[in-house]
């Protein structure tokens, strides 16, 4: 039943109720109810002029014009009529009251209408018409959200930092606008485009921009929306989604996180999930089943292309992969300008300066940076967001929120100062290490102190010398504790440093081939084979002797870096003490103050952020020097 029919039924019910109420409220003269015995006595006294006798009531008029009404007793009164006639009462018999035709019709149809209304209500609830939006009758229906061409306001102007990816999808827009242009020459547009990139790089935003530029409908759904507890539901939803898409062709279907349903078949111990595999099979069939001239383009996004089924990536389905990378320095500047449109920005804010100091930030990270800066300005009751707020927001994102309410003893605070000073001095003096940006002993997050390093430029790889320098700086804090407190006084604050240094050293030997003794061989196999449909319990291609040699080589790298870091701190003991004193006095020191300390001078008092050294105090880095994946290259900040 469509909406028009339901509205007509509703208005008919309302009209019938109003008619019944109106007929029952018809105007009658004012009457007075009297007992039956009083009525008889007044008849005998000659005070009754007229009596209208009905089935159960008697109404009439007194001689003085007054109206009365009485109810006849259930017992039969045989003397009533003689008494009325003897006292000259005008007797009128009333016909039994009958309901009108419309009233009778309404009362006879009302039960049917009520049953019908209740049935419609429950059917709507089962079909997802209630507030919950879902019901047992909608299991097989697609959950894709349809955005009309007039609802999508996103264009390529709103997407920044991924210029190469925009160029790759530009022809999709041209095809959707003018399919005949390609078909005249026999060209076929890719049926599926897979967007691959780290989280927060703007894959979903780019897909919306394609639909906004092409002015076509946009179906959006997540990979997890296909799978339910009942077998066959996911496949049914895939069929329904493509049926809807064909009705709105040309259009775009966007499947976010497709790895939730497109993982390799046969994965897991004892076979894969039947429901997920059926859903994937149906998706493969649908993508190969419609003709290219139907104008349906499937765009999927994932940050795990390695787990996708090979059949999903073959030509004819997802024939094209578009990599959406982290933005470079120019891309970050453009992304910042896009997000700054919604925020009142002060004249001293320089997006290029912020972009220079945020290597490794994704589009989502930069959006969060702008939002945090706006929140800082709002807390300070400012009307404009200045560079000062952006500096505070950057420090909060990179180092964590300050915990100034945390109570630390002077002894523990001094130990933290020496620890962080050890990191900073070693990091400053070893080759190919990122410059020290800021050192703080203010607790942030779970860390008691933070030493931050700012990459001077975007990095996509690391040399052996640079990795060894990172290991040296990681051990700088522990060595500083050992020099000031003795070996028995070393604390557990270096646990994270030791873990990261060990991972770096082992990766140098087993993954990156940076050990002369072990050679350029991959000794470490990727984990998680069972989730990719590989053989369970694959044999390690490594002998026990080789494993022992790897352990010895890792230990040699650690010992060598530890010795270098210790020698650096022993040669610069005066600077270690000077920096620890500065941290105890100021709690946080920046690059310009570190320059003073390394020059053997007492650091100058903290200055405004605009007076910091060029390139050092501008901004901080998140993961700019870390390759993608799980390679354990140290980040720009050490937390303890």
């Amino acid at each position: 039943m469509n909406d028009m029919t339901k509205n007509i039924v509703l208005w008919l019910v309302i009209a019938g109720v109003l008619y019944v109420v109106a007929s029952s409220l018809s105007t009658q003269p004012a009457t007075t109810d009297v007992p039956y015995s009083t009525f008889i006595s007044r008849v005998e006294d000659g005070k009754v002029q007229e009596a209208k006798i009905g089935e159960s009531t008697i109404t009439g008029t007194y001689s003085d014009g007054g109206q009365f009404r009485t109810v006849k007793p259930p017992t039969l009164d045989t003397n009533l009529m003689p008494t009325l006639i003897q006292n000259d009462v005008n007797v009128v018999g009333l016909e039994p009251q009958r309901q009108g035709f419309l009233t009778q019709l309404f009362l006879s149809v009302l039960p049917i209408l009520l049953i019908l209304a209740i049935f419609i209500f429950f059917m709507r609830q089962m079909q997802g018409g209630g507030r919950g939006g879902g019901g047992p009758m909608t299991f097989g229906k697609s959950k894709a959200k349809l955005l009309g061409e007039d609802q999508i306001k996103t264009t390529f102007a709103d997407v920044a930092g991924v210029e190469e990816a925009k160029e790759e999808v530009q022809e999709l827009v041209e095809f959707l606008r003018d399919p005949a242009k390609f078909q005249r020459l026999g060209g076929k547009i890719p049926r599926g485009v897979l967007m691959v990139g780290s989280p927060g790089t703007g894959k979903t935003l780019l897909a919306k921009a394609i639909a906004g530029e092409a002015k076509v409908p946009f179906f959006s759904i997540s990979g997890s929306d296909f799978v339910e507890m009942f077998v066959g539901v996911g496949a049914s939803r895939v069929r329904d989604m493509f049926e809807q898409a064909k009705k709105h062709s040309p259009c775009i279907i966007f499947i976010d996180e497709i790895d939730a349903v497109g993982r390799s078949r046969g994965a897991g111990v004892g076979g894969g999930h039947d429901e997920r595999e059926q859903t994937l099979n149906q998706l493969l069939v649908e993508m190969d089943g419609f003709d290219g001239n139907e104008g349906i383009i499937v765009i999927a996004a994932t940050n795990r292309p390695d787990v996708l089924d090979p059949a999903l990536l073959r030509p004819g389905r997802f024939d094209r992969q578009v990599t959406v990378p982290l933005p470079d320095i120019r891309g970050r500047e453009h992304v910042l300008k896009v997000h700054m449109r919604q925020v009142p920005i002060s004249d001293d804010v320089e997006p290029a300066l912020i972009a220079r100091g945020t290597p490794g930030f994704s589009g989502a990270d930069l959006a969060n940076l702008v939002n945090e800066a706006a929140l800082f300005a709002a807390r300070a009751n400012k009307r404009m967001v200045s560079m000062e707020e952006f500096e505070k927001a950057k420090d909060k994102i990179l180092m964590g929120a300050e915990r100034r309410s945390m109570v630390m003893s002077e002894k523990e605070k001094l130990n933290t100062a020496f620890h962080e000073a050890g990191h900073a001095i070693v990091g400053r003096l070893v080759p190919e290490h990122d410059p020290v940006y800021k050192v703080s002993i203010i607790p942030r997050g779970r860390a008691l102190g933070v030493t931050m390093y700012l990459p001077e430029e975007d990095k996509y790889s690391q040399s052996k010398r640079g990795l060894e320098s990172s290991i040296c700086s990681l051990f700088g804090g522990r060595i500083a504790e050992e020099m000031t407190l003795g070996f028995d006084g070393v604390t557990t604050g270096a646990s994270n440093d030791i873990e990261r240094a060990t991972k770096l050293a082992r990766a140098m030997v087993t993954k990156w081939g940076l050990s002369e003794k072990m050679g350029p061989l991959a000794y470490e196999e990727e984990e998680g084979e069972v989730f990719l449909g590989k053989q369970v319990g694959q044999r390690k291609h490594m002998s026990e002797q080789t494993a022992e040699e790897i352990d010895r080589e890792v230990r040699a790298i650690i010992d060598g870096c530890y010795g270098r870091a210790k020698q650096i701190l022993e040669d610069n003991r005066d600077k270690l003490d000077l920096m620890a004193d500065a941290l105890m006095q100021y709690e946080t020191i920046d690059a310009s103050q570190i320059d003073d300390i390394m020059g053997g001078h007492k650091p100058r008092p903290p200055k405004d952020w605009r007076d910091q050294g060029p390139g050092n105090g501008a901004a901080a880095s998140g993961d700019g020097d870390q390759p993608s994946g799980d390679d354990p290259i140290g980040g720009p900040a050490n937390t303890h």
Side-chain angles (χ1 to χ4, degrees):
M1 182 180 294
N2 55 29
D3 292 339
M4 181 178 295
T5 305
K6 289 184 287 186
N7 290 334
I8 293 175
V9 173
L10 177 62
W11 283 112
L12 287 176
V13 173
I14 294 174
V17 172
L18 292 177
Y19 174 80
V20 172
V21 173
S23 61
S24 63
L25 295 179
S26 57
T27 57
Q28 296 290 342
T31 60
T32 303
D33 290 343
V34 297
Y36 185 76
S37 58
T38 303
F39 163 70
I40 294 298
S41 63
R42 291 184 178 180
V43 170
E44 293 175 348
D45 294 340
K47 297 181 179 180
V48 177
Q49 179 180 356
E50 183 182 50
K52 299 178 180 179
I53 303 175
E55 292 181 339
S56 59
T57 60
I58 299 176
T59 59
T61 306
Y62 292 120
S63 300
D64 57 2
Q67 302 289 328
F68 69 90
R69 177 179 178 277
T70 185
V71 179
K72 293 192 300 184
T75 57
L76 181 62
D77 185 2
T78 57
N79 296 323
L80 176 61
M81 290 302 298
T83 302
L84 293 174
I85 293 174
Q86 291 176 4
N87 292 277
D88 297 327
V89 177
N90 184 23
V91 180
V92 178
L94 296 178
E95 185 179 359
Q97 191 175 18
R98 296 180 180 179
Q99 296 176 339
F101 172 75
L102 293 178
T103 303
Q104 293 181 11
L105 177 63
F106 175 75
L107 293 178
S108 61
V109 175
L110 181 61
I112 300 176
L113 293 178
L114 289 176
I115 294 174
L116 181 61
I118 293 173
F119 176 76
I120 293 174
F121 172 77
F122 282 106
M123 286 298 296
R124 289 191 61 195
Q125 291 298 113
M126 296 178 66
Q127 295 178 358
R131 185 174 298 179
M137 302 297 290
T138 62
F139 279 152
K141 299 296 183 181
S142 171
K143 290 187 176 183
K145 297 178 182 178
L146 172 61
L147 297 178
E149 54 188 69
D150 55 340
Q151 295 178 273
I152 304 176
K153 308 299 181 182
T154 306
T155 63
F156 283 152
D158 301 314
V159 184
V162 286
E163 301 305 320
E164 293 82 1
K166 286 199 294 187
E167 292 177 2
E168 288 193 50
V169 299
Q170 182 66 42
E171 68 178 24
L172 298 180
V173 176
E174 297 178 4
F175 170 79
L176 291 170
R177 288 178 176 174
D178 186 14
K181 173 183 177 181
F182 296 86
Q183 294 168 359
R184 281 195 298 267
L185 300 176
K188 296 181 180 179
I189 200 69
R191 296 181 178 180
V193 177
L194 181 66
M195 293 188 179
V196 180
S198 302
T201 51
K203 299 183 290 295
T204 304
L205 186 65
L206 183 58
K208 283 188 177 181
I210 296 173
E213 291 283 344
K215 300 296 182 183
V216 296
F218 183 80
F219 289 88
S220 177
I221 193 171
S222 172
S224 60
D225 289 335
F226 289 111
V227 182
E228 284 282 359
M229 62 182 293
F230 299 105
V231 176
V233 172
S236 176
R237 288 178 178 175
V238 172
R239 288 190 295 268
D240 185 69
M241 180 180 66
F242 278 92
E243 286 296 327
Q244 294 182 32
K246 291 175 184 178
K247 297 177 182 177
H248 296 83
S249 174
C251 66
I252 290 176
I253 296 177
F254 177 67
I255 306 175
D256 198 9
E257 304 296 344
I258 193 173
D259 51 277
V261 69
R263 284 177 175 263
S264 296
R265 288 168 289 185
V269 180
H273 191 287
D274 290 339
E275 165 62 2
R276 185 181 57 77
E277 289 192 5
Q278 289 188 22
T279 306
L280 174 59
N281 291 336
Q282 187 63 41
L283 180 61
L284 297 176
V285 171
E286 291 291 342
M287 290 194 66
D288 231 4
F290 56 81
D291 297 329
N293 58 7
E294 291 190 5
I296 301 175
I297 295 179
V298 181
I299 301 177
T302 181
N303 49 26
R304 291 295 307 277
D306 54 316
V307 304
L308 295 180
D309 194 279
L312 199 62
L313 303 178
R314 76 157 176 83
R317 291 182 179 127
F318 286 105
D319 347 48
R320 179 174 300 182
Q321 292 191 23
V322 177
T323 301
V324 186
L326 293 172
D328 56 14
I329 183 170
R330 292 184 179 180
R332 291 193 297 272
E333 181 181 354
H334 294 159
V335 172
L336 284 169
K337 290 180 179 179
V338 169
H339 292 298
M340 287 179 180
R341 296 174 188 170
Q342 310 299 326
V343 179
I345 300 297
S346 177
D347 294 336
D348 65 341
V349 175
E350 300 181 30
L353 197 61
I354 301 174
R356 178 185 175 187
T358 52
F361 271 43
S362 66
D365 294 329
L366 295 171
N368 187 36
L369 176 67
V370 176
N371 182 63
E372 288 290 345
L375 294 179
F376 273 114
R379 294 191 194 106
N381 296 320
K382 293 184 177 181
R383 295 186 176 181
M384 307 285 285
V385 183
S386 66
M387 198 69 173
E388 181 182 358
E389 280 71 46
F390 278 99
E391 287 296 310
K392 291 180 179 179
K394 176 188 55 188
D395 289 346
K396 180 181 179 181
I397 293 173
L398 295 176
M399 298 188 295
E402 292 184 356
R403 294 191 298 163
R404 291 189 175 272
S405 60
M406 182 177 179
V407 179
M408 292 177 60
S409 65
E410 288 298 316
K411 179 180 179 181
E412 190 167 10
K413 195 173 181 181
L414 180 61
N415 182 54
T416 303
F418 276 109
H419 187 108
E420 301 304 331
H423 283 302
I425 292 174
V426 176
R428 184 65 178 266
L429 296 178
V430 292
E432 295 189 19
H433 197 284
D434 296 328
V436 181
Y437 158 58
K438 186 176 291 186
V439 184
S440 175
I441 59 173
I442 299 175
R444 290 177 177 268
R446 295 183 299 173
L448 299 180
V450 178
T451 300
M452 295 190 61
Y453 307 107
L454 173 66
E456 294 179 328
E457 58 186 8
D458 294 345
K459 292 185 178 181
Y460 305 101
S461 61
Q462 276 275 47
S463 66
K464 178 183 178 183
R465 186 182 298 108
L467 292 171
E468 290 177 345
S469 296
S470 297
I471 297 175
C472 290
S473 65
L474 285 170
F475 282 120
R478 175 185 170 90
I479 296 172
E481 291 185 21
E482 185 177 343
M483 291 174 59
T484 56
L485 302 175
F487 184 79
D488 294 337
V490 175
T491 66
T492 59
S495 61
N496 180 257
D497 301 329
I498 296 173
E499 179 183 355
R500 293 168 61 187
T502 305
K503 287 183 178 179
L504 276 175
R506 183 165 292 276
M508 289 174 62
V509 176
T510 61
K511 294 180 66 175
W512 301 327
L514 298 179
S515 169
E516 294 182 3
K517 183 177 180 180
M518 302 307 297
L521 293 178
Y523 296 98
E524 185 176 278
E525 295 183 0
E526 296 292 338
E527 297 179 357
E529 298 88 350
V530 64
F531 299 106
L532 302 181
K534 307 282 184 68
Q535 182 180 355
V536 180
Q538 273 188 318
R539 184 175 63 88
K540 297 290 184 180
H541 301 282
M542 185 191 307
S543 65
E544 294 294 333
Q545 182 181 359
T546 302
E548 293 177 1
E549 292 179 359
I550 289 174
D551 291 339
R552 283 194 292 268
E553 189 66 12
V554 171
R555 181 60 185 266
I557 294 176
I558 294 293
D559 289 343
C561 293
Y562 194 93
R564 285 177 56 195
K566 187 173 183 179
Q567 186 64 45
I568 290 173
L569 289 180
E570 288 177 348
D571 295 341
N572 295 273
R573 178 59 189 265
D574 57 334
K575 299 179 179 62
L576 179 66
D577 295 333
L578 194 59
M579 187 175 294
D581 293 339
L583 288 171
M584 291 295 293
Q585 180 179 359
Y586 302 122
E587 292 187 330
T588 300
I589 58 176
D590 56 31
S592 61
Q593 293 171 298
I594 295 173
D595 289 338
D596 294 338
I597 294 173
M598 298 307 295
H601 307 294
K602 187 176 180 180
R604 71 193 78 175
K607 294 184 178 181
D608 190 79
W609 64 268
R610 286 175 286 267
D611 298 327
Q612 296 175 0
N616 291 331
S621 165
D623 301 316
D625 59 344
Q626 291 191 14
S628 60
D630 300 325
D631 294 342
I633 293 182
N638 290 324
T639 57
H640 313 281

